């Protein structure tokens, strides 16, 4: 079986930290795969909030996640502080990819590489829309 690989960026424009909660740990005693996606969701909200955006309002449009890829690099355990570095790239007409590098804050060991694809969406019209110019301009200046 072919392994999935994410070409991770070299530079990131935002960093946040999230502790591993007991509810994030699975029966094997380490960070569960579903919790990785949940942690990434929280990190994405923090990233958007740092630009005064929400998932429902980015320059008047919302976003929908179209795909996600997680490549696990190392275990993480209850009480670990995860550093999540985020950047945006690979813009197309309707969306872009968001990259997340998850690392153990104390040891700097990489825990996971994550990429989520998003498209912009007009919820009132129920349709995909083009990337808002203001978002792209703001994000590209930061990256």
């Amino acid at each position: 079986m072919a392994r999935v690989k994410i070409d991770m960026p070299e530079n990131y424009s935002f960093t946040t930290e999230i502790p591993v909660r007991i509810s994030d740990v699975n029966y094997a005693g380490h960070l569960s795969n579903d919790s990785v996606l949940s942690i990434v969701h929280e990190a994405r909200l923090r990233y958007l909030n740092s630009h005064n955006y929400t998932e429902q309002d980015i320059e008047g449009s919302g976003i929908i996640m179209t795909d996600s890829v997680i490549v696990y690099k190392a275990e993480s355990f209850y009480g670990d502080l995860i550093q999540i570095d985020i950047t945006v790239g690979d813009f197309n007409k309707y969306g872009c990819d968001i990259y997340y590098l998850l690392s153990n804050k104390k040891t700097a060991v990489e825990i996971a590489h994550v990429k989520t694809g998003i498209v912009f969406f007009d919820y009132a019209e129920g349709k995909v829309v083009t990337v808002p110019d203001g978002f792209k301009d703001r994000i590209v200046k930061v990256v």
Side-chain angles (χ1 to χ4, degrees):
M1 178 173 93
R3 299 285 311 191
V4 174
K5 183 179 185 306
I6 303 172
D7 292 324
M8 297 298 286
E10 291 184 22
N11 299 306
Y12 296 85
S13 59
F14 179 80
T15 299
T16 191
E17 298 169 0
I18 298 174
V20 177
R21 305 166 303 168
I22 195 63
S23 60
D24 295 325
V25 175
N26 64 17
Y27 61 89
H30 58 236
L31 180 64
S32 65
N33 61 334
D34 59 321
S35 289
V36 171
L37 199 54
S38 180
I39 287 168
V40 163
H41 185 189
E42 175 67 27
R44 181 175 57 253
L45 289 175
R46 292 179 185 186
Y47 172 71
L48 292 173
N49 286 335
S50 76
H51 291 286
N52 297 314
Y53 293 139
T54 68
E55 289 185 322
Q56 297 82 25
D57 186 8
I58 299 175
E59 307 289 333
S61 297
I63 59 170
I64 294 178
M65 187 167 48
T66 58
D67 55 48
S68 59
V69 178
I70 303 171
V71 177
Y72 302 96
K73 304 302 246 176
E75 291 179 298
S76 185
F77 302 95
Y78 171 71
D80 286 350
L81 187 58
I82 299 176
Q83 177 176 312
I84 303 102
D85 298 309
I86 300 175
T87 198
V88 177
D90 298 331
F91 280 91
N92 61 51
K93 184 175 181 180
Y94 300 107
C96 58
D97 290 331
I98 304 176
Y99 295 89
Y100 315 79
L101 175 61
L102 281 66
S103 304
N104 182 304
K105 175 73 174 174
K106 184 177 180 182
T107 66
V109 170
E110 291 184 2
I111 298 165
H113 294 172
V114 183
K115 180 180 78 71
T116 60
I118 61 167
V119 294
F120 288 82
F121 197 77
D122 181 329
Y123 282 94
E125 296 289 323
K127 66 179 185 177
V128 173
V129 295
T130 58
V131 176
D133 290 333
F135 174 76
K136 190 171 181 179
D137 291 344
R138 181 182 281 186
I139 297 304
V140 171
K141 285 179 185 175
V142 174
V143 177

